């Protein structure tokens, strides 16, 4: 059976430390009779089969067994600083004793709205406190505060979390309200399906679903770009809801003015409420988010390790959480405590596995598909911006993701060495100040790494 991270910490770090500080009789009598079963906040939870035994360990003074355990925790980890002892035969029995509220969260995870995405679980920092306050105001007074609320920002910054937090808040405090959460892709696919079935009941059902709601939450509305027919239906849905003071909340990876080929009537309506921009989180917020995610995974990670991971990326929180998940997996797989050395090994192994499979042609094809141009135009001599710019992005990504020599990249594109240097430097500089471009390149990179 795969061991949890806190079990590895207990067996490989805490027990060896306690063997040095506790007498052999006390170790056999007390320490060997407890087993770790959970992590809650800054506490590791142990189980034992006797209430008297649990009380004895928990209540002992600093000089007793309880004090020795706390001293070992403080020496071995800065994250877990205390413990509790519960009465249970094993972890399975302990889990059965969880209260109904915790079990309900576990059972409802299959719902389209993740019950874990709440306002309480949203880590607030200077970069997102504005959208947090705006979303909370909307949840408390839907239709009255800001309508529509349009949240925009790069990928992986918590937009979906805050959208689902509104849904979960209303479910808890205003359960009679009809709340609908959907992605723009789901809206599009359901509309297309209703059209394919004709103008009868399917179309009526579609409109009832989206227009007979009190709160409509649509994720990734930028995918309306260039879809004229979908935009028309969305416009009428949006208009009808807002006219009736029904709340609409939208998220996008860019502000309305940057969504290409968006009808002016939609653009002006999106901008008619409150525009909330999500900025990349600062280092303190990134550490706090990783700490929260470690707690959710019942995982013991030292603050120095969390800081090390947080410093790897300043734009994409989802990417940072993914790195933490890979490290936790490596810890369980190799049965090793999480250290900076393990982080480097796990992430180097993961990155090399994916990037070794990449070919320059994969990157070129992906960029062509993303910008909707032909490969012949990409590789040809045309200097129009619509072809030259994606060509430069391809060169930049090949240099960055494959670490090929610039001469090799120049040969791929049948250009000279200086052209590749210029392209790489130009894109690298531009993404520092051009948020739209940074988002696009990040999306292409993710598409490539998922292949």
């Amino acid at each position: 059976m795969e061991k949890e991270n806190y079990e590895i910490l207990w067996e490989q770090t805490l027990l060896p430390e306690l063997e040095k500080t506790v007498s052999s009789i006390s170790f056999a009598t007390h320490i060997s009779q407890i087993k770790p079963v959970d992590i809650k906040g800054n506490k590791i939870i142990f189980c034992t089969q006797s209430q008297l035994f649990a009380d004895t360990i928990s209540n002992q003074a600093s000089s007793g067994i309880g004090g020795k355990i706390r001293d070992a925790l403080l020496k071995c980890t800065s994250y877990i600083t205390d413990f509790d002892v519960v009465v249970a035969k094993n972890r399975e029995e302990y889990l059965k004793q969880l209260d109904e509220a915790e079990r309900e969260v576990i059972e409802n995870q299959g719902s389209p709205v993740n019950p874990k995405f709440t306002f309480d679980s949203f880590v607030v920092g200077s970069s997102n406190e504005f959208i947090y306050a705006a979303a909370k105001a909307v949840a408390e007074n839907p239709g009255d505060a800001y309508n529509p609320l349009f949240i925009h920002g790069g990928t992986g910054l918590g937009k979906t979390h805050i959208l689902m937090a509104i849904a979960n808040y209303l479910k808890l405090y205003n359960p009679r309200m009809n709340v609908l959460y959907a992605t723009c892709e789901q809206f599009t696919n359901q509309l297309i399906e209703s059209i394919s079935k004709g103008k009868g009941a399917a179309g009526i059902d579609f409109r009832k679903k989206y227009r007979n709601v009190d709160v409509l939450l649509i994720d990734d509305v930028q995918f309306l770009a260039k879809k004229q027919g979908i935009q028309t239906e969305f416009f009428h849905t949006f208009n009808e809801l807002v006219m009736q003071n029904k709340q609409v909340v939208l998220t996008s990876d860019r502000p309305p003015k940057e969504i290409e080929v968006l009808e002016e009537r939609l653009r002006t309506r999106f901008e008619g409420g409150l525009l909330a921009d999500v900025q990349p989180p600062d280092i303190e917020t990134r550490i706090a988010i990783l700490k929260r995610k470690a707690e959710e995974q019942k995982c013991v990670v030292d603050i120095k390790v969390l800081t090390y991971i947080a410093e790897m990326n300043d734009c994409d929180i989802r990417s940072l959480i993914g790195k933490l998940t890979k490290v936790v997996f490596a810890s369980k797989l190799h049965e090793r405590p999480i250290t900076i050395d393990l982080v480097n090994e796990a992430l180097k192994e993961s990155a090399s596995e994916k990037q070794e499979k990449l070919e320059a042609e994969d990157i070129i094809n992906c960029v062509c598909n993303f910008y909707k141009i032909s490969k012949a135009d990409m590789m040809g001599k045309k200097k129009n911006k619509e072809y030259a710019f994606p060509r430069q992005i391809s060169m930049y990504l090949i240099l960055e993701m494959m670490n090929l020599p610039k001469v090799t990249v120049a040969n791929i594109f049948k250009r000279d060495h200086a052209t590749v240097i210029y392209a790489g430097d130009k894109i690298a500089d531009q993404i520092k100040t051009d948020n739209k471009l940074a988002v696009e390149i990040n999306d292409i990179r993710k598409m490539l790494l998922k292949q």
Side-chain angles (χ1 to χ4, degrees):
M1 181 181 293
E2 188 180 77
K3 291 183 179 179
E4 295 294 334
N5 175 262
Y6 52 80
E7 294 177 297
I8 298 167
L9 175 79
W10 174 245
E11 293 173 5
Q12 297 192 18
T13 306
L14 293 174
L15 280 180
E17 178 63 27
L18 286 166
E19 284 181 327
K20 300 174 187 175
T21 58
V22 176
S23 69
S24 57
I25 295 175
S26 292
F27 191 93
T29 306
H30 297 102
I31 302 300
S32 64
Q33 301 303 312
I34 58 175
K35 302 292 180 187
V37 291
D38 201 1
I39 291 289
K40 282 193 174 182
N42 69 328
K43 290 184 178 182
I44 186 169
I45 311 299
F46 298 107
C47 75
T48 184
Q49 296 187 48
S50 164
Q51 183 65 57
L52 179 62
F53 190 85
D55 292 340
T56 300
I57 293 179
S58 299
N59 297 331
Q60 281 187 348
S62 59
S63 59
I65 295 299
K68 299 292 186 184
I69 294 174
R70 290 184 180 89
D71 289 343
L73 287 169
L74 290 171
K75 184 172 183 179
C76 297
T77 170
S78 61
Y79 175 34
I80 305 299
T81 56
D82 205 350
F83 71 94
D84 274 335
V85 184
V86 299
V87 179
K89 292 180 181 178
N90 48 39
R91 177 169 166 78
E92 288 70 29
E93 186 173 301
Y94 160 75
L95 291 174
K96 289 178 182 178
Q97 297 172 8
L98 290 175
D99 61 38
E100 284 297 322
E102 288 190 43
R103 286 208 298 274
E104 185 178 349
V105 168
I106 294 170
E107 290 164 3
N108 286 337
Q109 284 179 356
S111 166
V113 175
N114 190 331
K116 291 186 177 181
F117 285 0
T118 65
F119 287 115
D120 288 340
S121 65
F122 188 81
V123 178
V124 182
S126 58
S127 63
N128 58 22
E129 59 186 354
F130 180 78
I131 67 154
Y132 175 86
K136 193 75 180 291
V138 162
E140 291 171 348
N141 296 288
D144 295 330
Y146 311 109
N147 203 14
L149 172 60
F150 192 103
I151 300 169
H152 64 92
T155 57
L157 297 182
K159 299 187 300 297
T160 296
H161 186 138
I162 206 73
L163 209 60
M164 291 187 174
I166 295 172
N168 283 317
Y169 184 95
L170 290 168
K171 181 180 178 181
L172 183 62
Y173 294 104
N174 211 335
R176 291 185 179 181
M177 274 201 160
N178 185 2
V179 181
L180 175 59
Y181 164 84
T183 64
C184 188
E185 183 181 12
Q186 288 169 335
F187 179 90
T188 300
N189 292 340
Q190 289 165 19
L191 175 59
I192 292 171
E193 184 180 357
S194 73
I195 293 171
S196 69
K197 292 180 179 178
K199 296 182 178 180
I204 294 171
D205 288 345
F206 174 84
R207 288 184 173 87
K208 280 184 178 179
K209 177 177 181 178
Y210 281 94
R211 298 187 190 184
N212 292 349
V213 298
D214 298 302
V215 179
L216 179 62
L217 310 167
I218 299 291
D219 214 353
D220 290 326
V221 78
Q222 74 271 7
F223 290 116
L224 285 174
K226 302 179 182 180
K227 297 182 175 74
Q228 299 302 121
I230 307 298
Q231 288 185 28
T232 299
E233 181 63 34
F234 192 85
F235 169 79
H236 291 301
T237 298
F238 178 96
N239 232 25
E240 187 163 326
L241 290 173
V242 174
M243 290 290 286
Q244 297 176 41
N245 290 324
K246 306 299 184 182
Q247 181 69 50
V248 178
V249 185
L250 310 169
T251 71
S252 169
D253 66 0
R254 66 205 71 175
K257 64 182 179 181
E258 292 182 11
I259 299 177
E260 298 175 354
V261 197
L262 183 67
E263 289 184 12
E264 190 61 27
R265 59 180 181 174
L266 266 181
R267 194 187 313 278
T268 56
R269 279 162 175 77
F270 289 172
E271 294 175 342
L274 178 66
L275 295 181
D277 183 12
V278 193
Q279 295 295 324
D282 56 25
I283 184 67
E284 291 80 9
T285 306
R286 299 201 297 276
I287 294 169
I289 291 170
L290 289 175
K291 184 174 183 292
R292 176 72 61 83
K293 291 300 174 183
E295 292 172 0
E296 289 176 4
Q297 296 186 49
K298 308 297 183 183
C299 187
V300 182
V301 188
D302 191 273
I303 193 68
K304 292 179 181 178
V305 177
L306 293 175
T307 303
Y308 184 73
I309 297 174
E311 289 173 342
M312 292 180 174
N313 188 316
D314 62 356
C315 293
D316 190 341
I317 288 301
R318 196 177 295 126
S319 171
L320 281 180
I321 294 170
K323 287 180 171 64
L324 176 64
T325 301
K326 289 170 191 169
V327 172
V328 172
F329 174 78
S331 170
K332 294 179 181 179
L333 180 66
H334 302 298
E335 295 192 4
R336 289 170 55 189
I338 294 178
T339 61
I340 289 177
D341 286 342
L342 181 65
V343 171
N344 289 329
E345 290 174 28
L347 297 183
K348 181 180 178 181
E349 180 180 294
S350 175
S352 61
E353 283 177 1
K354 288 182 178 178
Q355 296 199 11
E356 277 176 11
K357 298 176 185 177
L358 273 181
E359 300 287 345
E361 189 173 356
D362 296 329
I363 295 175
I364 292 168
N365 289 336
C366 189
V367 172
C368 287
N369 290 334
F370 188 87
Y371 288 105
K372 295 180 173 57
I373 62 173
S374 71
K375 186 177 177 182
D377 287 330
M378 158 82 80
M379 304 300 289
K381 300 295 184 183
K382 294 181 180 179
K383 296 184 179 180
N384 315 46
K385 185 178 180 180
E386 60 183 305
Y387 309 123
F389 197 57
R391 188 184 299 135
Q392 291 171 337
I393 289 173
S394 296
M395 293 177 182
Y396 166 79
L397 286 170
I398 291 171
L399 289 170
E400 184 205 40
M401 299 183 74
M402 297 184 64
N403 200 28
L404 292 179
K406 293 180 177 67
V407 174
T408 304
V409 179
N411 290 334
I412 292 171
F413 286 89
K414 295 182 173 56
R415 261 74 175 177
D416 58 42
H417 182 248
T419 300
V420 176
I421 295 174
Y422 172 78
D425 291 345
K426 175 186 174 181
I427 301 301
D429 288 340
Q430 194 164 334
I431 59 176
K432 295 175 183 177
T433 56
D434 188 337
N435 184 59
K436 181 174 180 285
L437 178 61
V439 167
E440 290 176 356
I441 289 179
N442 201 29
D443 287 345
I444 294 169
R445 189 184 290 111
K446 287 180 179 178
M447 289 163 64
L448 286 164
L449 293 179
K450 286 179 181 177
Q451 291 180 355

